[in-house]
């Protein structure tokens, strides 16, 4: 018997798709890696940023069986650092998307359901926060707060929720005028129940799919902020920070003398983002019939 | 003209309201993030002059006045471009921001002049050959490239350039070459300046240095434009007017050029405008750390390292104003060329 929740049914329906399988395997692999990396990393202390003392000879070694991805400018094992950074990637991507989704859903549905002034004000706020680049917000917070996850997450959420508010608003606007919602109102159901059961329940699927595919964009943007040195402190295991350290220590010469410093962290960002994208794309096609491949041409 | 002045007026009014909202938001951030706003405005000064600098900052912001007066004053300062001297550069903030904007805009405009036509061509071409090997290759490539961090791609491009030709694209122009040939930037768009002065050596040098970052940044707009135009063309080909045209015996190329292309231009313009404002952030990251170009990115980094709050706030506000203006202009253009947009 197929599962009853619509979203699980949607996933179930797509399980046999090739792309979906690849996306799911990459995502699960990164999730597992983020949980176990600290136990399987050959140099877990260096992975967390500890600089080995008195071992200058270990600096900038090329990849070898002992140091799978080579070592960085401070002599740390790059493999340990890169795999342990999967954790910060997962934390940032998921918390940014989750928080933005919650805020955006609430604002979007309220704007669509309560018309008039509420709609006007909430849409204005949405427009306002959509217009601010998150990197500048990150710079603001970084100038006043200590470096850390909160800088990245707050600055991304500040701008991202507006996108979910916008799409929720558009979907909800199409639903609130339908007869069954009007009838529910007439029958005296409380607004909270109508919104939860008859509005959010109906429109949630495409928004969830959007959220899954946004996990990748969130990771890219968070990495960009960390790469600029605006988010997590130096030494923290994060792909953006590792890239930043590789490039800022040596300038552009870093790629020419030690390409592995740049290559591996970027490759992991690419793979993780790709995983999320491949996961979401088949679901989106399934939900949006316009994207399905059923074309018949006239010539 | 199908667009009403009423719409343009409403759209611009909303944009102005959003700009004012952003200015107020920035000011509130300045006031209510941890730390004394006057100290922040003075750039966390140290030493014997510190007390005086903070006093001056306090007077500049008008912190002793009620908050609505402060905000009104601040908005006035923003619109007159008068935010004081930059702590890091010791020149007016507006000058810093302007020079950064021209540098980054040069890169972005160059990128988009290449990327949008290429993306459009790829999209149309793969829509016409749906299911072919070319189409599925472009589709898969666009998924992979959309997942690639731009700054990483830039680094890889720089590495490839260095290892194959020995040329490391760094900075906007070689200073040795620029000074020896008497190159003199007028507009700040180096490519344009070099052409105006007939300085082809500098033009070539600047061109060689702008292509690698432009390649890295162009991945996003190419992908977006290709994907959108592919879907649009594929949908347009199913429309009745295409069927009728085929029935009349109109030539295939004429159908594509005159019917299909015409119908997809407005949405493509809109999506390019949206992508453009996104690419600003991409460009800021790539140009500064990877390619060592001056621009908004290097200004952002300097303002971080020197705690230059004035530049940060100015950057936030003017960047947002730019964002909003691009969006507004794109909306208005779209409304005026697409008869379907009814407001």
């Amino acid at each position: 018997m197929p599962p009853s929740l619509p979203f699980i049914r949607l996933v179930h329906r797509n399980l046999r798709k090739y792309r979906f399988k690849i996306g799911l395997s990459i995502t699960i692999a990164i999730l597992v890696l983020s949980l176990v990396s600290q136990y399987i990393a050959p140099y877990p202390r260096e992975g967390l940023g500890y600089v080995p003392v008195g071992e200058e000879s270990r600096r900038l070694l090329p990849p070898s069986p002992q140091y799978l991805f080579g070592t960085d400018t401070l002599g740390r094992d790059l493999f340990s650092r890169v795999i342990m950074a999967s954790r910060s990637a997962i934390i940032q991507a998921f918390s940014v998307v989750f928080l933005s989704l919650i805020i955006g859903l609430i604002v979007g549905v309220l704007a669509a359901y309560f018309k008039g002034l509420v709609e006007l004000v909430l849409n204005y706020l949405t427009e306002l926060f959509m217009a601010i680049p998150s990197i500048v917000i990150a710079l603001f917070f970084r100038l006043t707060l200590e470096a850390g996850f909160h800088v990245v997450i707050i600055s991304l959420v500040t701008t991202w929720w507006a996108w979910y508010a916008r799409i929720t608003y558009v979907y909800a606007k199409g639903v609130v005028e339908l007869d069954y919602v009007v009838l529910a109102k007439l029958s005296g159901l409380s607004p909270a129940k109508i919104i939860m059961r008859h509005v959010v329940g109906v429109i949630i699927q495409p928004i969830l799919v959007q959220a899954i595919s946004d996990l990748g964009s969130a990771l890219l943007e968070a990495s960009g902020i960390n790469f600029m040195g605006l988010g997590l402190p130096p030494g923290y295991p994060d792909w953006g920070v590792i890239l930043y350290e590789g490039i800022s220590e040596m300038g552009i010469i870093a790629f020419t003398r030690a390409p592995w410093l740049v290559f591996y962290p970027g490759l992991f960002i690419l793979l993780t983002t790709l995983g999320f994208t491949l996961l979401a794309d088949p679901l989106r096609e399934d939900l949006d019939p316009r994207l399905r491949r059923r074309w018949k041409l006239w010539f | 003209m199908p667009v009403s002045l009423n719409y343009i007026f409403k759209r611009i009014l909303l944009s102005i309201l959003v700009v004012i909202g952003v200015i107020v938001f920035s000011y509130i951030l300045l006031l209510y993030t941890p730390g004394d706003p006057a100290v922040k405005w003075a750039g966390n000064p140290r030493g014997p002059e510190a007390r005086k600098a903070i006093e001056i900052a306090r007077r500049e912001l008008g912190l002793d006045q009620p908050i609505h007066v402060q905000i009104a004053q601040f908005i006035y300062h923003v619109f007159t471009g008068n935010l004081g001297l930059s702590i890091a550069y010791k020149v007016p903030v507006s000058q810093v921001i302007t020079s950064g904007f021209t540098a980054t805009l040069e890169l972005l405009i160059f990128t988009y002049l290449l990327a949008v036509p290429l993306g459009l061509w790829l999209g149309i071409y793969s829509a016409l050959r749906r299911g072919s090997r070319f189409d599925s290759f472009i589709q898969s490539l666009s998924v992979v490239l959309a997942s690639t961090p731009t700054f990483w791609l830039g680094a890889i491009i720089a590495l490839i350039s260095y290892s194959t030709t020995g040329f490391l694209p760094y900075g906007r122009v070689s200073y040795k070459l620029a000074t020896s040939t008497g190159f003199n930037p007028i507009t700040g768009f180096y490519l344009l300046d070099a052409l105006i002065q007939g300085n082809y050596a500098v033009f070539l040098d600047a061109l060689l240095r702008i292509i690698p970052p432009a390649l890295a940044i162009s991945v996003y707009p190419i992908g977006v434009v290709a994907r959108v135009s592919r879907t649009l063309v594929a949908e347009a080909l199913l429309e009745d007017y295409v069927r009728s045209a085929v029935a009349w015996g109109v030539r295939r190329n004429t159908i594509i050029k005159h019917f299909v292309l015409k119908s997809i231009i407005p949405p493509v313009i809109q999506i390019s405008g949206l992508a453009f404002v996104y690419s600003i952030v991409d460009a800021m990251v790539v140009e500064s750390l990877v390619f060592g170009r001056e621009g908004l990115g290097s200004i952002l980094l300097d303002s971080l390292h020197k705690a230059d709050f004035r530049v940060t706030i100015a950057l936030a506000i003017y960047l947002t104003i730019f964002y909003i203006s691009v969006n507004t202009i794109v909306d208005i253009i779209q409304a005026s060329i697409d008869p379907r947009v009814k407001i």
Side-chain angles (χ1 to χ4, degrees), chain B residues 26-72:
Chain B
S26 313
Y27 195 73
I28 287 173
L29 272 184
L30 174 71
L31 285 191
Y32 296 108
T33 45
D36 182 352
V39 175
K40 286 186 274 187
W41 192 246
N44 296 337
R46 291 207 180 77
E49 299 289 308
R51 186 180 291 262
K52 215 172 128 200
I54 293 170
E55 263 323 299
I56 293 172
R58 198 175 297 280
R59 217 167 322 124
E60 266 179 26
L61 286 176
L63 288 178
D64 46 350
Q65 281 156 341
I67 185 145
H68 58 273
V69 179
Q70 291 178 37
I71 290 179

Side-chain angles (χ1 to χ4, degrees), chain B residues 287-343:
Chain B
E287 66 176 4
S288 56
L289 270 174
V290 182
F291 290 102
R293 299 166 64 87
E294 301 88 32
L296 291 174
S298 61
I299 290 172
L300 182 124
L301 286 177
D302 280 342
S303 78
L304 173 71
H305 293 139
K306 300 195 176 131
D308 198 347
F309 240 100
R310 301 163 190 224
V311 172
T312 310
I313 287 196
L315 198 60
I317 292 170
Y318 292 121
L319 208 54
T320 315
I321 293 180
F322 183 71
Y323 259 54
I324 295 168
S325 331
V326 173
N327 275 337
T328 313
I329 292 168
V330 164
D331 274 359
I332 292 175
I333 290 178
Q334 206 212 356
S336 51
I337 60 178
D338 189 345
R340 282 170 300 184
V341 177
K342 284 257 177 356
I343 299 100

Side-chain angles (χ1 to χ4, degrees), chain A residues 27-245:
Chain A
T27 310
I28 291 177
I30 295 290
L31 278 174
V32 170
L33 190 64
S34 69
L35 290 176
V36 302
S37 58
Q38 61 202 64
Y39 306 110
I40 62 168
Y43 303 91
R45 280 179 70 200
E46 291 171 21
L48 286 174
Y50 167 76
V51 180
V53 187
E55 294 195 66
E56 273 75 19
S57 61
R58 270 182 64 183
R59 285 179 188 172
L60 289 177
L61 294 177
S64 65
Q66 197 189 352
Y67 307 109
L68 281 174
F69 291 174
T71 57
D72 66 7
T73 43
L74 296 172
R76 293 172 292 197
D77 176 39
L78 194 64
F79 178 69
S80 306
R81 285 187 60 69
V82 168
I83 63 168
M84 287 176 80
S86 55
R87 185 150 158 203
S88 105
I90 294 291
I91 292 177
Q92 291 174 71
F94 277 88
S95 46
V96 165
V97 170
F98 182 74
L99 291 174
S100 315
L101 182 66
I102 299 285
I103 302 174
L105 259 182
I106 295 172
V107 172
V109 164
L110 290 184
Y113 188 83
F114 298 104
K115 298 172 191 91
L117 194 61
V118 179
E119 186 177 9
L120 213 65
V121 170
L122 290 182
N123 278 342
Y124 171 70
L125 284 178
T126 308
E127 186 93 3
L128 178 66
F129 281 95
M130 251 179 183
I132 311 173
S134 56
I135 201 164
V136 181
I137 309 259
L139 179 59
F140 253 108
F141 284 120
R142 189 59 193 80
L143 282 174
T144 48
L145 304 176
E146 282 296 299
F149 275 124
H150 52 277
V151 176
V152 186
I153 292 170
I154 294 175
S155 47
L156 281 181
V157 171
T158 308
T159 56
W160 273 53
W161 68 265
W163 291 98
Y164 294 104
R166 171 59 60 85
I167 53 172
T168 310
Y169 173 76
V170 171
Y171 282 121
K173 199 78 189 150
V175 170
V176 289
E177 297 297 333
L178 293 180
D179 287 346
Y180 74 92
V181 178
V182 179
L183 281 177
K185 264 187 217 172
L186 286 177
S187 69
L189 203 60
S190 73
K193 270 192 181 148
I194 300 180
I195 286 177
M196 280 315 289
R197 200 179 297 165
H198 298 302
V199 182
V200 175
V202 172
I203 61 171
I204 192 76
Q205 285 207 37
I207 298 169
L208 275 184
V209 171
Q210 181 66 41
I212 295 177
S213 86
D214 282 346
L215 286 170
S217 320
L219 176 60
L220 284 182
E221 215 165 304
S223 306
I225 286 174
N226 288 323
F227 178 67
M228 290 294 268
L230 294 175
L232 295 166
Y236 199 90
D238 175 273
W239 295 323
V241 175
I242 298 173
L243 275 165
Y244 167 72
E245 286 177 343

Side-chain angles (χ1 to χ4, degrees), chain A residues 163, chain B residues 108 111-112 115-116 217-228 267-283 322-323 326-327 330:
Chain A
W163 291 98
Chain B
L108 277 172
T111 308
Y112 270 69
V116 173
I217 301 166
S218 70
V219 162
Y220 177 69
I222 290 177
V224 168
V225 171
R227 202 169 52 237
V228 169
V268 167
I269 288 182
Q270 195 192 20
I271 203 75
S272 311
L274 268 181
F276 189 84
V277 292
Y278 277 111
S279 292
I280 297 176
V281 173
D282 260 359
F322 183 71
Y323 259 54
V326 173
N327 275 337
V330 164

